[in-house]
Amino acid sequence: MTDATRILLDENEIPTHWYNVIADLPSPPAPPLGPDGKPATPEQMGAIFPGAILEQEMSAERWIAIPEEVREIYKLWRPAPLVRAVRLERALGTPAKIFFKYEGVSPAGSHKPNSAVPQAYYNRQAGIKRLTTETGAGQWGSSIAFAGQMFGLEVRVYMVKVSYHQKPYRRLMMQTWGAEVFASPSEMTQTGREALARDPDNQGSLGLAISEAVEEAAGRADTNYTLGSVLNHVVLHQSIIGLEARKQFDRIGLYPDVIFAPCGGGSSFGGIAFPFLADKAAGDRRARNLRCVAVEPTSCPTLTKGQYAYDFGDASGFTPMMKMYTLGHDFMPPGIHAGGLRYHGDSPLVSQLCHEGLIEAVAVPQLATFEAGVLFARNEGIIPAPEACHAIRATIDEALRCKESGEPKTLLFNLTGHGHFDMSSYDRYFSGELENYDYPAEAVARSLAHLPKVG
Amino acid sequence: MTDATRILLDENEIPTHWYNVIADLPSPPAPPLGPDGKPATPEQMGAIFPGAILEQEMSAERWIAIPEEVREIYKLWRPAPLVRAVRLERALGTPAKIFFKYEGVSPAGSHKPNSAVPQAYYNRQAGIKRLTTETGAGQWGSSIAFAGQMFGLEVRVYMVKVSYHQKPYRRLMMQTWGAEVFASPSEMTQTGREALARDPDNQGSLGLAISEAVEEAAGRADTNYTLGSVLNHVVLHQSIIGLEARKQFDRIGLYPDVIFAPCGGGSSFGGIAFPFLADKAAGDRRARNLRCVAVEPTSCPTLTKGQYAYDFGDASGFTPMMKMYTLGHDFMPPGIHAGGLRYHGDSPLVSQLCHEGLIEAVAVPQLATFEAGVLFARNEGIIPAPEACHAIRATIDEALRCKESGEPKTLLFNLTGHGHFDMSSYDRYFSGELENYDYPAEAVARSLAHLPKVG
């Protein structure tokens, strides 16, 4: 059985519970803080999130049941395959075994629906009729469009205007699933109208789009807001990735030595890594030397160059403050950076584990990630999303170290999505328009100087 | 087990042999004819095809072994899932059980690699170093780019110039897999140079691109040509679809009453339907009332409005003549038609079975196909390619007839590919730019008047 290329599970093997890493943290997580510097209350967040989501956000229960209705929708594409990259191993001449968990099989083409589906479900349970969200390139927007449609919810997506016009295909995907998509800034909200009054040609930003989506959700009782990464409940939902992978490794009698995942807001990394950290916490001998490596771009090096401190979740400072690795909430990655993974901060859970030394982080330069993605595509067929190329790069580097040392390690990475809607980034790579960019230390210091003062 | 949403097979259940319907035809197939009106000889085609492919093109063996190296590559995505569309059934309120075989899981996103992979393999076995082909929207070109890369062959794709510029993403997909892609007409061939001399702004046509690809293959000993549909060996390779589906139905103790597939050149229809016709030929009681329905667009109604006669395979009359349903080799579908399925003829095998009444054909109008595709996406998640929407339309129509009659039929359709590279067609649909178009009888009569005289 270890010779299998793809390790598949039957749909009745979809996990029945998500895993909550908070139960196994060495110390309790630092609470989010409100504008007054005091811990934010559930009431403060109740205007935009349903109770069940808030409960999950705060819960310290190790296992949280997945509703049957959510598992029914998961069955449209889950369990996702665990695949051994035999041809890539051969191309590298490495004694390492390389496995990837392929999340690109979801309708939206990435791991994002793993959380979009339960978020839509809990909102419908709470009597909510409409969801709002913001989207840049459209990964999260398309996932919530799909998930909303599955539960009969209206979905409104505020899409950064420049992406709305430059990347019409993700927008069309959302519309195919019945969502309304507005170019942000829009005429739909006070925030949008004011921005347009100041500058009718405003091309939008993620911060502005967040503000529009939150304003609409906060102002209407039948409408809630959804977020695709960073928060605890999102990382919780994504644990389905690692839980399935654990079963699949059991099936073939192997266990990973090193796990790699791209890391922007942290949900794809936490999703695949945390269930294996549970084994480590439980004293499982196989996990004793397990390493979990979050891979980020050198152009947005949150975990490797940021500061572990309280900061706002958004650029405008509307959200509660969270304790996390941050480059400063007004940090902006350079235009030369082609993929996602642009968030100034990181999941508080991923940040805490990194700060406590239980996980590692590494930053990789842009050109090396595309080089890795192309090598992967030419051996394994699948064309990976630029975000996933970060994990592939780090995995290949480890496999090459194994080649030098002769160690037959078992490596696992999270292939978070396919690149079908990112071919313009490959175009920029092939035509030599992309460059490496190490975010300069003085620029990081400048944005870190604006961290909010706490306590 | 009949409650399962997705019926998966293990990779060691990938069929070991392809099924050749020629062995079960009631009468032998009419041979292709050379320019002199006499049966074309293998020698005439040997300049552009390897011997193993020519053998398969002519063979009457029922079962032809799939080389182990081909099965190894198939394992990158096969066996493809058979999926029960439970949510679509509920939305329609039909007593019918609706199943689809999902071929969009291949790296290139369609069923085309099922034949591209063995074609690349047999060419490499024959010592060929380079493959050429033509492509319009890029489905076949990207499949052969992927397959060539798997066997270390250079691939050159002549892409119709207007598509080259309007659909850059499929081109980038081919380049990611290492293929060279030229806008046709190009400076690479005599044909291309002459076309450009006559008109430097020539935007190209599929006929011109075929001529360029064939010219290069015919002129170089190390180079062969590949074709993605119509020919017997392509239909043979595609039988993997129906063979897997048969095993999957066995697994759940069901058998289809009606099978639907889109039909352009015929390979996706033959691929899913012919292995079930084998059961019928063998007297299997379950297959006694089986209906197989080829679904084509009303704008290119080859099987429903064409003539069963000898005609050229290409617009220019370079290829041997084949006995098939045809609208005339100089037939051109209207620009208003958004999807594929634009071929003037059809697979001689599909044509013969249709002529002998063993299969059926139906033509569906464009707007109804997109309407069906959107309904499917909003229930099952997957956004289908426009070609696949034709089969979905016909399946939904049958399911609605079942609703009226109360018959709980088991329906199967071939979901030949996803629509990730076809979102511009959805855009045209949503924005009201598309129309229905029934090809007028007098226009068909006009192009049929140009059929070659035979015998």
Side-chain angles (χ1 to χ4, degrees):
Chain A
M1 273 302 281
T2 54
D3 287 347
T5 305
R6 297 197 301 162
I7 298 95
L8 304 174
L9 299 175
D10 199 77
E11 63 190 23
N12 57 31
E13 296 175 282
I14 292 176
T16 55
H17 291 73
W18 291 299
Y19 167 68
N20 181 6
V21 76
I22 293 177
D24 287 319
L25 288 181
S27 52
L33 302 181
D36 54 359
K38 290 184 183 150
T41 62
E43 291 70 35
Q44 286 171 321
M45 297 165 84
I48 57 170
F49 292 120
I53 292 281
L54 287 175
E55 230 172 82
Q56 292 183 349
E57 188 63 23
M58 313 286 186
S59 173
E61 289 291 315
R62 183 172 282 105
W63 297 103
I64 294 178
I66 306 177
E68 197 45 45
E69 293 88 336
V70 169
R71 291 180 79 235
E72 280 302 310
I73 305 297
Y74 278 169
K75 284 181 191 173
L76 293 178
W77 74 96
R78 305 205 71 88
L82 178 72
V83 186
R84 179 152 174 204
V86 182
R87 293 175 50 88
L88 179 63
E89 290 172 16
R90 265 186 237 138
L92 297 171
T94 179
K97 292 186 179 71
I98 302 177
F99 289 87
F100 61 90
K101 180 76 172 166
Y102 186 36
E103 291 292 320
V105 291
S106 81
S110 79
H111 66 293
K112 297 276 184 188
N114 295 335
S115 184
V117 170
Q119 288 192 47
Y121 169 77
Y122 289 121
N123 274 292
R124 198 202 51 182
Q125 289 298 95
I128 292 298
K129 302 270 182 273
R130 180 193 284 163
L131 300 176
T132 67
T133 199
E134 76 287 344
T135 205
Q139 290 267 19
W140 174 247
S142 54
S143 300
I144 205 76
F146 158 71
Q149 177 63 236
M150 292 298 107
F151 291 107
L153 295 170
E154 285 178 45
V155 171
R156 286 191 161 178
V157 181
Y158 291 89
M159 186 171 190
V160 178
K161 190 180 277 175
V162 61
S163 299
Y164 183 93
H165 291 298
Q166 281 180 1
K167 303 193 168 177
Y169 292 169
R170 278 265 172 209
R171 165 170 63 77
L172 282 158
M173 196 176 200
M174 297 184 244
Q175 290 169 335
T176 303
W177 284 319
E180 286 182 283
V181 186
F182 303 107
S184 167
S186 76
E187 295 286 350
M188 308 296 296
T189 66
Q190 184 72 16
T191 310
R193 287 186 294 270
E194 284 173 11
L196 289 171
R198 281 194 303 275
D199 173 11
D201 291 330
N202 190 317
Q203 289 304 297
S205 70
L206 209 51
L208 202 51
I210 293 177
S211 303
E212 287 204 273
V214 170
E215 181 189 319
E216 181 173 346
R220 303 177 67 129
D222 65 350
T223 303
N224 268 344
Y225 172 73
T226 61
L227 196 70
S229 192
V230 182
L231 297 182
N232 298 353
H233 67 274
V234 183
V235 179
L236 172 76
H237 301 153
Q238 293 294 353
S239 69
I240 189 97
I241 304 172
L243 292 168
E244 282 182 7
R246 239 172 34 160
K247 284 194 191 193
Q248 286 161 315
F249 273 110
D250 276 348
R251 186 69 45 91
I252 55 173
L254 284 174
Y255 198 88
D257 295 302
V258 197
I259 299 174
F260 298 94
C263 196
S267 76
S268 82
F269 172 76
I272 196 165
F274 288 177
F276 290 93
L277 286 182
D279 291 342
K280 200 167 189 165
D284 188 323
R285 287 186 55 242
R286 298 172 305 172
R288 204 162 39 187
N289 296 312
L290 172 70
R291 293 170 52 213
C292 298
V293 184
V295 190
E296 57 186 21
T298 54
S299 53
C300 187
T302 316
L303 294 170
T304 52
K305 296 281 177 65
Q307 189 171 322
Y308 187 54
Y310 268 104
D311 197 2
F312 296 112
D314 65 326
S316 321
F318 288 154
T319 70
M321 292 174 280
M322 295 178 289
K323 187 137 186 212
M324 60 183 176
Y325 277 94
T326 177
L327 295 163
H329 57 276
D330 50 7
F331 167 89
M332 286 280 283
I336 197 69
H337 175 61
L341 315 180
R342 303 162 156 269
Y343 188 57
H344 70 274
D346 216 314
S347 146
L349 296 175
V350 171
S351 296
Q352 183 179 347
L353 285 161
C354 191
H355 186 66
E356 292 175 354
L358 292 167
I359 62 161
E360 303 166 36
V362 65
V364 290
Q366 173 157 270
L367 295 180
T369 65
F370 278 99
E371 183 198 25
V374 170
L375 182 69
F376 181 80
R378 291 185 181 177
N379 283 284
E380 299 295 326
I382 298 164
I383 297 178
E387 299 78 37
C389 291
H390 288 73
I392 298 175
R393 177 74 260 168
T395 304
I396 288 177
D397 290 344
E398 183 76 24
L400 292 174
R401 282 189 290 272
C402 289
K403 185 178 179 176
E404 261 182 46
S405 68
E407 289 170 287
K409 286 185 187 172
T410 298
L411 311 181
L412 167 64
F413 72 88
N414 196 350
L415 185 50
T416 48
H418 61 62
H420 300 171
F421 292 87
D422 305 292
M423 296 314 294
S424 60
S425 299
Y426 278 89
D427 194 16
R428 292 172 70 194
Y429 171 65
F430 285 127
S431 57
E433 282 174 43
L434 296 184
E435 293 167 24
N436 287 330
Y437 186 88
D438 290 359
Y439 212 82
E442 58 271 28
V444 173
R446 257 200 314 277
S447 57
L448 284 175
H450 302 154
L451 286 185
K453 305 284 172 285
V454 172
Chain B
M1 271 304 281
T2 54
D3 288 347
T5 306
R6 297 196 301 161
I7 298 96
L8 304 174
L9 298 176
D10 199 77
E11 64 190 20
N12 56 32
E13 296 175 281
I14 292 176
T16 55
H17 291 71
W18 291 299
Y19 167 69
N20 182 6
V21 76
I22 293 177
D24 288 319
L25 288 181
S27 53
L33 302 181
D36 54 0
K38 291 185 183 147
T41 62
E43 292 68 36
Q44 287 171 321
M45 295 165 84
I48 57 169
F49 292 121
I53 291 281
L54 287 176
E55 232 171 80
Q56 292 183 350
E57 187 63 23
M58 313 287 186
S59 173
E61 289 291 316
R62 182 171 283 107
W63 297 104
I64 294 180
I66 306 177
E68 197 46 44
E69 293 87 336
V70 170
R71 292 179 80 234
E72 279 303 309
I73 304 297
Y74 278 170
K75 285 181 190 174
L76 292 178
W77 74 95
R78 305 205 71 88
L82 178 74
V83 186
R84 179 153 174 204
V86 181
R87 293 176 49 89
L88 179 63
E89 290 171 17
R90 266 186 237 138
L92 297 172
T94 179
K97 292 186 177 73
I98 302 177
F99 289 86
F100 61 90
K101 180 77 173 166
Y102 185 37
E103 291 292 319
V105 292
S106 82
S110 79
H111 66 293
K112 296 277 183 187
N114 295 336
S115 183
V117 169
Q119 288 193 47
Y121 169 78
Y122 290 120
N123 274 292
R124 199 203 48 182
Q125 288 298 96
I128 291 297
K129 301 272 183 272
R130 181 192 283 163
L131 300 176
T132 67
T133 198
E134 75 289 343
T135 205
Q139 291 267 20
W140 174 248
S142 54
S143 299
I144 205 76
F146 157 70
Q149 177 63 237
M150 292 298 108
F151 291 108
L153 296 170
E154 284 178 47
V155 172
R156 285 191 162 178
V157 181
Y158 290 89
M159 187 169 188
V160 178
K161 192 181 277 174
V162 61
S163 299
Y164 183 94
H165 292 299
Q166 281 180 3
K167 302 192 169 178
Y169 293 170
R170 278 263 173 211
R171 165 170 63 78
L172 282 159
M173 197 177 199
M174 296 185 245
Q175 290 169 335
T176 302
W177 284 318
E180 286 182 282
V181 186
F182 305 107
S184 168
S186 76
E187 294 285 351
M188 307 296 296
T189 66
Q190 184 74 15
T191 310
R193 286 187 295 270
E194 282 173 13
L196 289 171
R198 281 193 304 275
D199 174 11
D201 291 330
N202 190 318
Q203 290 302 297
S205 70
L206 209 51
L208 202 51
I210 294 177
S211 302
E212 288 205 272
V214 170
E215 181 189 320
E216 182 174 345
R220 304 179 66 130
D222 66 350
T223 303
N224 267 344
Y225 172 72
T226 61
L227 196 70
S229 194
V230 182
L231 298 182
N232 299 355
H233 67 274
V234 183
V235 179
L236 172 77
H237 301 153
Q238 293 295 352
S239 69
I240 189 97
I241 304 172
L243 292 168
E244 282 182 8
R246 238 171 37 159
K247 285 194 190 194
Q248 287 160 315
F249 273 109
D250 275 349
R251 185 69 45 91
I252 55 174
L254 284 174
Y255 199 88
D257 294 302
V258 197
I259 299 174
F260 298 94
C263 196
S267 76
S268 82
F269 172 75
I272 197 165
F274 288 176
F276 290 93
L277 286 183
D279 291 342
K280 201 166 189 164
D284 187 321
R285 287 186 54 244
R286 298 172 304 172
R288 205 162 39 187
N289 296 313
L290 172 69
R291 293 171 51 213
C292 298
V293 184
V295 191
E296 57 186 21
T298 54
S299 53
C300 187
T302 316
L303 294 170
T304 52
K305 296 279 177 66
Q307 189 171 320
Y308 187 52
Y310 269 103
D311 196 2
F312 296 112
D314 65 326
S316 320
F318 289 154
T319 70
M321 291 175 279
M322 296 178 291
K323 186 132 186 218
M324 59 184 176
Y325 277 94
T326 177
L327 295 164
H329 58 275
D330 50 7
F331 167 88
M332 286 281 284
I336 197 68
H337 176 61
L341 314 181
R342 304 163 155 269
Y343 188 56
H344 70 274
D346 216 313
S347 146
L349 296 174
V350 171
S351 296
Q352 182 179 347
L353 286 160
C354 190
H355 186 66
E356 292 175 353
L358 292 167
I359 63 162
E360 303 167 35
V362 64
V364 290
Q366 175 156 271
L367 295 180
T369 65
F370 279 98
E371 182 198 27
V374 170
L375 182 68
F376 181 80
R378 290 185 182 178
N379 283 284
E380 299 296 326
I382 298 165
I383 297 177
E387 298 79 36
C389 291
H390 288 72
I392 298 174
R393 177 74 261 167
T395 304
I396 289 176
D397 289 344
E398 183 76 23
L400 293 174
R401 281 190 291 272
C402 289
K403 185 179 180 176
E404 263 181 46
S405 68
E407 289 170 289
K409 286 187 187 171
T410 298
L411 312 180
L412 167 64
F413 72 89
N414 195 352
L415 185 49
T416 50
H418 60 63
H420 300 171
F421 292 87
D422 305 292
M423 296 312 295
S424 59
S425 299
Y426 279 89
D427 194 15
R428 292 172 69 193
Y429 171 65
F430 285 126
S431 58
E433 283 173 43
L434 296 184
E435 294 167 25
N436 288 330
Y437 186 87
D438 290 0
Y439 212 81
E442 59 271 28
V444 173
R446 257 198 314 278
S447 57
L448 284 175
H450 303 154
L451 286 185
K453 305 282 172 285
V454 171

